């Protein structure tokens, strides 16, 4: 409730793009041209690496940069595991 509507939209689009990228990547390799799938993966990988390198450099967390592909793949599974938390309301009082 503290975010602007446009920021909520962008955060949702980002989460959806992360969630749908890997399944669509696998389906593209299986049913379409694997070359196009690798080109899309390469472009996304390079773009993401550039942004995350600059970010980790600015935040002085360069030791996390080599792990970014693992964390990106982990986010797909994280969304699957914790999607049910989106629909649960937190308790209003302590038990």
């Amino acid at each position: 409730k503290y975010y602007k509507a446009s920021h909520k939209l962008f955060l949702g689009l980002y989460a959806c793009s992360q969630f749908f990228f890997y399944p669509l990547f696998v389906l593209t390799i299986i049913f379409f041209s694997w070359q196009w799938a690798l080109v899309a993966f390469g472009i996304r990988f390079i773009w993401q690496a550039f942004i995350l390198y600059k970010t980790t450099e600015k935040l002085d967390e360069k030791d996390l940069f080599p792990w970014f592909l693992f964390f990106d793949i982990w986010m797909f599974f994280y969304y699957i595991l914790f999607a049910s938390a989106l629909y649960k309301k937190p308790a209003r009082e302590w038990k």
Side-chain angles (χ1 to χ4, degrees):
K1 71 180 185 181
Y2 298 110
Y3 290 105
K4 293 180 182 178
S6 62
H7 294 163
K8 288 180 185 179
L9 175 70
F10 288 136
L11 287 170
L13 288 174
Y14 177 70
C16 285
S17 72
Q18 274 192 314
F19 180 73
F20 288 118
F21 179 78
Y22 289 106
L24 291 175
F25 176 68
V26 171
L27 289 175
T28 303
I29 288 176
I30 294 171
F31 293 111
F32 299 105
S33 173
W34 61 270
Q35 294 93 347
W36 284 109
L38 289 180
V39 167
F41 183 81
I43 290 170
R44 181 178 182 267
F45 181 79
I46 291 168
W47 183 251
Q48 195 173 25
F50 175 75
I51 291 171
L52 288 173
Y53 181 78
K54 291 292 188 181
T55 304
T56 56
E57 189 175 53
K58 186 175 274 194
L59 296 174
D60 197 28
E61 295 289 344
K62 290 183 192 173
D63 57 329
L64 294 176
F65 179 73
W67 291 91
F68 87 89
L69 184 60
F70 169 74
F71 290 142
D72 188 54
I73 294 170
W74 163 249
M75 285 304 293
F76 171 74
F77 296 106
Y78 173 84
Y79 289 136
I80 291 172
L81 291 172
F82 295 105
S84 65
L86 294 172
Y87 300 107
K88 293 180 183 176
K89 299 278 185 191
R92 292 202 171 260
E93 59 187 49
W94 291 94
K95 292 185 178 182

